[in-house]
Structures are given as structure tokens and as C-alpha cells.
Amino acid sequence: MLYQVLIIVYLIVALGLIGLVLIQQGKGADMGASFGAGSSATIFGSSGSGNFLTKATTWLAIAFFAISLVLGNLTANRIKPNEEWNNLETPTELTAPAVDSIPSESAEPAVNNSDVPAADTKTDTNVPN
């Protein structure tokens, strides 16, 4: 349960980090703002959105790396179910069947077919031979 919750939080943090990095302006954008290309008044105040976005990006990056380490540790310590065919430690020995266990062609096989109806011994005249 913890693993699935961490995966979901990890995905949300990763998408948030991508979004914040894409929203931020580059260092060269300040030069264009000084010539009137940008607006000095923003919703984050006169200092602009740089301080808030930088701090949010820093905290999301820290959360991203911390969750990465926790998920890596959980995955490394996870015990995988051992499968029979994947075990290479003990070889299986093949033994030849005994001569008495080989059925002969004339012997009738001993099969218990209790769910199969018995064969009708009467011959039907409508069925061609």
C-alpha cells in the first residue's frame, strides 16, 4: 500500500516539477523587460514570480529526490516469489521408466470414465457402416 501511494505522490511531484520549470522565465528575459517587453506588475508582487517559483522548484526537487531514494530502497528490499522453473541450484534427475510400466499394444488401458455414458451395444439400422 505504501509503495502505491509513493508512486502516485512521485508522479504528482514530477509533473509539478516539470510544470514549474516550464513556467519560469530564463535569465535573459530580464533584459527584454528593461526595454518594455515585459510587465513589471505581476500577481506575485513587484519582485516578480522568480522568488516564489524558485523556492517551489527547490522544494519539489528535494521531494522528488527523497521519494526516489525511498522507492529505490523499497524496490531493492522487495522479495520476489521464487518460481519452480527458475531454481538452478538443484538439478532434476530424469529416470527411465521401468520395463514393466511400458504398456503393450494389446493391453486395454485402464481408464475410469464414470462421466461418459456406456456404449450402446445394439446396432442402429439407420447409421451407415
Side-chain angles (χ1 to χ4, degrees):
M1 178 71 182
L2 175 68
Y3 188 77
Q4 287 85 10
V5 170
L6 281 176
I7 290 289
I8 292 171
V9 171
Y10 187 65
L11 180 66
I12 292 171
V13 168
L15 291 175
L17 189 60
I18 291 169
L20 281 178
V21 168
L22 291 177
I23 287 174
Q24 292 181 24
Q25 294 179 353
K27 295 290 182 188
D30 294 335
M31 178 81 84
S34 65
F35 292 111
S39 64
S40 61
T42 61
I43 59 172
F44 296 107
S46 62
S47 65
S49 62
N51 195 16
F52 170 76
L53 291 178
T54 304
K55 285 185 180 181
T57 304
T58 303
W59 284 109
L60 281 179
I62 291 170
F64 181 81
F65 287 118
I67 294 172
S68 296
L69 291 173
V70 171
L71 284 175
N73 191 18
L74 286 176
T75 304
N77 294 333
R78 187 175 275 194
I79 298 173
K80 296 178 184 176
N82 194 6
E83 298 173 355
E84 187 77 25
W85 61 272
N86 206 13
N87 186 6
L88 300 176
E89 293 174 1
T90 57
T92 57
E93 295 182 18
L94 298 175
T95 58
V99 177
D100 295 337
S101 67
I102 299 174
S104 63
E105 293 179 11
S106 63
E108 294 265 338
V111 179
N112 183 8
N113 291 331
S114 61
D115 59 339
V116 178
D120 191 14
T121 57
K122 295 188 280 182
T123 57
D124 192 6
T125 56
N126 295 334
V127 178
N129 289 342

